[in-house]
Amino acid sequence: MSGLPQIGILALQGDVVDHVRAIEAAGGRPVPVRRASELDAVDGLVIPGGESTTMSRLLEVFDLFEPVSKRLDAGMPAFGSCAGMIMLAEEVLDGRPDQRSFGAIPMTVRRNAFGRQVDSFEDEVPLEGVDGGPFRGVFIRAPWVERVGEGTEVLGRVGGGRRAADTPDGRIVAVRAGACMATSFHPEVTDDARVHRYFVDMVRRSGAGQADERNEGAPE
Ligand code: GLN
């Protein structure tokens, strides 16, 4: 591959700037994506946090839903944080009836799952495949993963033991399925770039540089 992997950051809404900084720190080249033509140049896509109902609507307004969906179906790697996790899910609970998601990760997520009292909290999340100790998870009106389907690997959980008697192992907050991964929390608001580095490595391994090849063949 030539140069750094080009990582699109879906920039319709949400915490785009922090992901741009984190992708740079992780050794990727961030590319804000607001229209379908900008999608052609990327090797992978970050779907930031924000508000999944709004994001779903804006994706349609900007004619981006189908193009993103097509790239995901074709195997484009993606990383969704918080609302981005919801956008990648196969099934969304407590969503709005008209909200759409890409179904790129076989899982069921529940929106705003941690409840009112704990709208926001931080906790240590040990992550499978991420060395260097637990990750400081920042959760903001976060979803959790209620069910993982076939092919979806659990990377991290939070709140097990006495804090969650109904789920002694804790709630699933980080997953991966093939080239897609998602976290309930916001790694981009910390100075720790390990989760973004994990994603950039995934993109590299998936054959980044394909964007260059696609562009070479594409008409002007
Ligand atoms: N609660 C938001 C939603 O449903 C997600 C919150 C976030 O991304 N910080 O989309």
Side-chain angles (χ1 to χ4, degrees):
M1 81 171 250
S2 54
L4 302 177
Q6 310 256 341
I7 311 288
I9 320 280
L10 187 66
L12 299 178
Q13 189 243 1
D15 54 348
V16 175
V17 174
D18 288 328
H19 277 291
V20 165
R21 188 187 42 76
I23 287 294
E24 269 166 3
R29 178 173 297 128
V31 181
V33 171
R34 291 188 191 81
R35 50 178 71 99
S37 57
E38 288 160 340
L39 201 57
D40 295 341
V42 307
D43 302 302
L45 183 69
V46 173
I47 307 183
E51 177 53 55
S52 57
T53 53
T54 307
M55 215 180 285
S56 161
R57 190 167 48 76
L58 290 177
L59 278 158
E60 305 224 35
V61 169
F62 285 83
D63 287 328
L64 262 170
F65 195 95
E66 304 309 332
V68 170
S69 189
K70 263 200 198 128
R71 285 292 309 273
L72 289 170
D73 287 349
M76 173 181 67
F79 166 41
S81 66
C82 203
M85 169 187 258
I86 297 170
M87 291 307 305
L88 288 173
E90 190 174 68
E91 187 186 16
V92 179
L93 303 177
D94 293 338
R96 269 185 27 182
D98 60 343
Q99 113 174 65
R100 296 175 70 192
S101 64
F102 293 117
I105 300 183
M107 64 175 171
T108 301
V109 300
R110 187 177 291 282
R111 281 181 69 222
N112 304 331
F114 287 95
R116 281 235 143 262
Q117 299 88 323
V118 279
D119 260 357
S120 299
F121 65 98
E122 295 186 19
D123 208 345
E124 301 293 316
V125 188
L127 290 174
E128 198 64 44
V130 174
D131 292 336
F135 197 89
R136 187 83 193 150
V138 177
F139 296 81
I140 306 166
R141 289 173 59 74
W144 67 43
V145 179
E146 208 149 299
R147 174 195 66 94
V148 288
E150 199 169 324
T152 302
E153 187 190 343
V154 174
L155 299 181
R157 296 172 183 264
V158 78
R162 278 187 306 158
R163 281 191 44 196
D166 60 330
T167 54
D169 295 334
R171 292 292 183 181
I172 300 168
V173 294
V175 293
R176 170 174 183 174
C180 289
M181 61 179 283
T183 61
S184 303
F185 54 91
H186 290 265
E188 73 284 2
V189 302
T190 66
D191 289 331
D192 188 341
R194 284 179 296 158
V195 170
H196 287 79
R197 204 168 299 128
Y198 181 101
F199 178 58
V200 171
D201 284 348
M202 259 170 66
V203 175
R204 246 192 218 109
R205 273 196 296 270
S206 81
Q210 286 167 358
D212 295 342
E213 285 158 30
R214 261 196 317 280
N215 289 342
E216 274 160 32
E220 289 300 304

mmCIF file of all heavy atoms in Angstrom, residues 42-63:
data_model
loop_
_atom_site.group_PDB
_atom_site.id
_atom_site.type_symbol
_atom_site.label_atom_id
_atom_site.label_comp_id
_atom_site.label_asym_id
_atom_site.label_seq_id
_atom_site.Cartn_x
_atom_site.Cartn_y
_atom_site.Cartn_z
ATOM 1 N N VAL A 42 -11.701 6.647 0.707
ATOM 2 C CA VAL A 42 -11.311 6.153 2.020
ATOM 3 C C VAL A 42 -11.174 4.626 2.053
ATOM 4 O O VAL A 42 -11.842 3.908 1.320
ATOM 5 C CB VAL A 42 -12.279 6.628 3.134
ATOM 6 C CG1 VAL A 42 -12.444 8.141 3.092
ATOM 7 C CG2 VAL A 42 -13.627 5.930 3.070
ATOM 8 N N ASP A 43 -10.269 4.186 2.939
ATOM 9 C CA ASP A 43 -10.037 2.747 3.119
ATOM 10 C C ASP A 43 -10.854 2.185 4.273
ATOM 11 O O ASP A 43 -10.993 0.973 4.410
ATOM 12 C CB ASP A 43 -8.553 2.505 3.424
ATOM 13 C CG ASP A 43 -7.662 3.042 2.328
ATOM 14 O OD1 ASP A 43 -7.825 2.623 1.175
ATOM 15 O OD2 ASP A 43 -6.798 3.896 2.621
ATOM 16 N N GLY A 44 -11.335 3.072 5.131
ATOM 17 C CA GLY A 44 -12.124 2.659 6.284
ATOM 18 C C GLY A 44 -12.919 3.864 6.756
ATOM 19 O O GLY A 44 -12.633 4.993 6.334
ATOM 20 N N LEU A 45 -13.902 3.642 7.622
ATOM 21 C CA LEU A 45 -14.767 4.749 8.036
ATOM 22 C C LEU A 45 -15.011 4.714 9.540
ATOM 23 O O LEU A 45 -15.337 3.661 10.097
ATOM 24 C CB LEU A 45 -16.116 4.650 7.305
ATOM 25 C CG LEU A 45 -17.117 5.782 7.564
ATOM 26 C CD1 LEU A 45 -16.621 7.097 6.944
ATOM 27 C CD2 LEU A 45 -18.502 5.430 7.006
ATOM 28 N N VAL A 46 -14.872 5.889 10.180
ATOM 29 C CA VAL A 46 -15.262 6.039 11.583
ATOM 30 C C VAL A 46 -16.640 6.684 11.620
ATOM 31 O O VAL A 46 -16.881 7.687 10.946
ATOM 32 C CB VAL A 46 -14.253 6.937 12.351
ATOM 33 C CG1 VAL A 46 -14.761 7.228 13.755
ATOM 34 C CG2 VAL A 46 -12.878 6.284 12.399
ATOM 35 N N ILE A 47 -17.545 6.077 12.377
ATOM 36 C CA ILE A 47 -18.852 6.688 12.595
ATOM 37 C C ILE A 47 -18.868 7.166 14.039
ATOM 38 O O ILE A 47 -18.845 6.366 14.974
ATOM 39 C CB ILE A 47 -20.006 5.690 12.323
ATOM 40 C CG1 ILE A 47 -19.840 5.084 10.919
ATOM 41 C CG2 ILE A 47 -21.353 6.395 12.469
ATOM 42 C CD1 ILE A 47 -20.949 4.131 10.511
ATOM 43 N N PRO A 48 -18.856 8.493 14.228
ATOM 44 C CA PRO A 48 -18.662 9.036 15.580
ATOM 45 C C PRO A 48 -19.905 8.908 16.459
ATOM 46 O O PRO A 48 -20.977 8.520 15.988
ATOM 47 C CB PRO A 48 -18.367 10.515 15.327
ATOM 48 C CG PRO A 48 -18.520 10.772 13.891
ATOM 49 C CD PRO A 48 -18.996 9.521 13.226
ATOM 50 N N GLY A 49 -19.730 9.319 17.710
ATOM 51 C CA GLY A 49 -20.867 9.455 18.607
ATOM 52 C C GLY A 49 -21.667 10.688 18.232
ATOM 53 O O GLY A 49 -21.262 11.470 17.379
ATOM 54 N N GLY A 50 -22.784 10.850 18.873
ATOM 55 C CA GLY A 50 -23.685 11.959 18.564
ATOM 56 C C GLY A 50 -25.075 11.513 18.924
ATOM 57 O O GLY A 50 -25.320 11.135 20.053
ATOM 58 N N GLU A 51 -25.953 11.502 17.972
ATOM 59 C CA GLU A 51 -27.333 11.080 18.203
ATOM 60 C C GLU A 51 -27.763 10.243 16.997
ATOM 61 O O GLU A 51 -27.883 10.761 15.887
ATOM 62 C CB GLU A 51 -28.204 12.328 18.394
ATOM 63 C CG GLU A 51 -29.664 12.034 18.573
ATOM 64 C CD GLU A 51 -29.920 11.015 19.677
ATOM 65 O OE1 GLU A 51 -29.463 11.231 20.804
ATOM 66 O OE2 GLU A 51 -30.547 9.999 19.388
ATOM 67 N N SER A 52 -27.965 8.956 17.252
ATOM 68 C CA SER A 52 -28.175 8.037 16.129
ATOM 69 C C SER A 52 -29.447 8.357 15.335
ATOM 70 O O SER A 52 -29.479 8.155 14.121
ATOM 71 C CB SER A 52 -28.211 6.601 16.635
ATOM 72 O OG SER A 52 -29.218 6.435 17.610
ATOM 73 N N THR A 53 -30.480 8.878 16.006
ATOM 74 C CA THR A 53 -31.714 9.193 15.270
ATOM 75 C C THR A 53 -31.437 10.331 14.280
ATOM 76 O O THR A 53 -31.862 10.287 13.128
ATOM 77 C CB THR A 53 -32.847 9.600 16.238
ATOM 78 O OG1 THR A 53 -32.380 10.654 17.079
ATOM 79 C CG2 THR A 53 -33.258 8.439 17.104
ATOM 80 N N THR A 54 -30.693 11.331 14.740
ATOM 81 C CA THR A 54 -30.345 12.468 13.878
ATOM 82 C C THR A 54 -29.394 12.017 12.767
ATOM 83 O O THR A 54 -29.546 12.398 11.605
ATOM 84 C CB THR A 54 -29.648 13.572 14.713
ATOM 85 O OG1 THR A 54 -30.470 13.867 15.825
ATOM 86 C CG2 THR A 54 -29.412 14.820 13.899
ATOM 87 N N MET A 55 -28.430 11.184 13.143
ATOM 88 C CA MET A 55 -27.449 10.731 12.158
ATOM 89 C C MET A 55 -28.121 9.930 11.045
ATOM 90 O O MET A 55 -27.827 10.098 9.870
ATOM 91 C CB MET A 55 -26.386 9.885 12.850
ATOM 92 C CG MET A 55 -25.013 10.064 12.253
ATOM 93 S SD MET A 55 -23.794 9.057 13.085
ATOM 94 C CE MET A 55 -23.565 9.954 14.599
ATOM 95 N N SER A 56 -29.050 9.080 11.448
ATOM 96 C CA SER A 56 -29.788 8.280 10.476
ATOM 97 C C SER A 56 -30.528 9.200 9.494
ATOM 98 O O SER A 56 -30.493 8.999 8.279
ATOM 99 C CB SER A 56 -30.767 7.379 11.246
ATOM 100 O OG SER A 56 -31.783 6.897 10.430
ATOM 101 N N ARG A 57 -31.159 10.242 10.046
ATOM 102 C CA ARG A 57 -31.916 11.169 9.191
ATOM 103 C C ARG A 57 -30.969 11.941 8.269
ATOM 104 O O ARG A 57 -31.215 12.074 7.064
ATOM 105 C CB ARG A 57 -32.712 12.135 10.087
ATOM 106 C CG ARG A 57 -33.715 12.990 9.345
ATOM 107 C CD ARG A 57 -34.681 13.684 10.287
ATOM 108 N NE ARG A 57 -34.022 14.356 11.409
ATOM 109 C CZ ARG A 57 -33.368 15.508 11.323
ATOM 110 N NH1 ARG A 57 -33.277 16.140 10.161
ATOM 111 N NH2 ARG A 57 -32.801 16.049 12.380
ATOM 112 N N LEU A 58 -29.838 12.433 8.828
ATOM 113 C CA LEU A 58 -28.904 13.220 8.012
ATOM 114 C C LEU A 58 -28.268 12.369 6.914
ATOM 115 O O LEU A 58 -28.012 12.853 5.807
ATOM 116 C CB LEU A 58 -27.821 13.850 8.890
ATOM 117 C CG LEU A 58 -28.318 14.968 9.808
ATOM 118 C CD1 LEU A 58 -27.193 15.483 10.695
ATOM 119 C CD2 LEU A 58 -28.902 16.130 8.997
ATOM 120 N N LEU A 59 -28.022 11.100 7.208
ATOM 121 C CA LEU A 59 -27.466 10.206 6.179
ATOM 122 C C LEU A 59 -28.403 10.134 4.985
ATOM 123 O O LEU A 59 -27.964 10.076 3.832
ATOM 124 C CB LEU A 59 -27.241 8.811 6.761
ATOM 125 C CG LEU A 59 -25.942 8.629 7.547
ATOM 126 C CD1 LEU A 59 -26.052 7.445 8.499
ATOM 127 C CD2 LEU A 59 -24.760 8.430 6.608
ATOM 128 N N GLU A 60 -29.692 10.151 5.257
ATOM 129 C CA GLU A 60 -30.662 10.110 4.157
ATOM 130 C C GLU A 60 -30.723 11.461 3.442
ATOM 131 O O GLU A 60 -30.712 11.519 2.212
ATOM 132 C CB GLU A 60 -32.044 9.737 4.697
ATOM 133 C CG GLU A 60 -32.015 8.444 5.487
ATOM 134 C CD GLU A 60 -33.160 7.524 5.147
ATOM 135 O OE1 GLU A 60 -33.556 7.513 3.976
ATOM 136 O OE2 GLU A 60 -33.632 6.831 6.068
ATOM 137 N N VAL A 61 -30.774 12.539 4.226
ATOM 138 C CA VAL A 61 -30.852 13.886 3.639
ATOM 139 C C VAL A 61 -29.658 14.148 2.720
ATOM 140 O O VAL A 61 -29.797 14.732 1.655
ATOM 141 C CB VAL A 61 -30.919 14.959 4.768
ATOM 142 C CG1 VAL A 61 -30.731 16.367 4.212
ATOM 143 C CG2 VAL A 61 -32.229 14.848 5.526
ATOM 144 N N PHE A 62 -28.468 13.687 3.127
ATOM 145 C CA PHE A 62 -27.262 13.928 2.333
ATOM 146 C C PHE A 62 -26.983 12.799 1.332
ATOM 147 O O PHE A 62 -25.897 12.721 0.780
ATOM 148 C CB PHE A 62 -26.051 14.124 3.260
ATOM 149 C CG PHE A 62 -26.035 15.467 3.940
ATOM 150 C CD1 PHE A 62 -26.774 15.689 5.095
ATOM 151 C CD2 PHE A 62 -25.296 16.519 3.417
ATOM 152 C CE1 PHE A 62 -26.773 16.933 5.719
ATOM 153 C CE2 PHE A 62 -25.293 17.769 4.028
ATOM 154 C CZ PHE A 62 -26.034 17.972 5.188
ATOM 155 N N ASP A 63 -27.974 11.946 1.131
ATOM 156 C CA ASP A 63 -27.836 10.826 0.181
ATOM 157 C C ASP A 63 -26.596 9.989 0.445
ATOM 158 O O ASP A 63 -25.880 9.584 -0.478
ATOM 159 C CB ASP A 63 -27.783 11.346 -1.273
ATOM 160 C CG ASP A 63 -29.152 11.822 -1.723
ATOM 161 O OD1 ASP A 63 -30.162 11.246 -1.268
ATOM 162 O OD2 ASP A 63 -29.208 12.783 -2.512
#
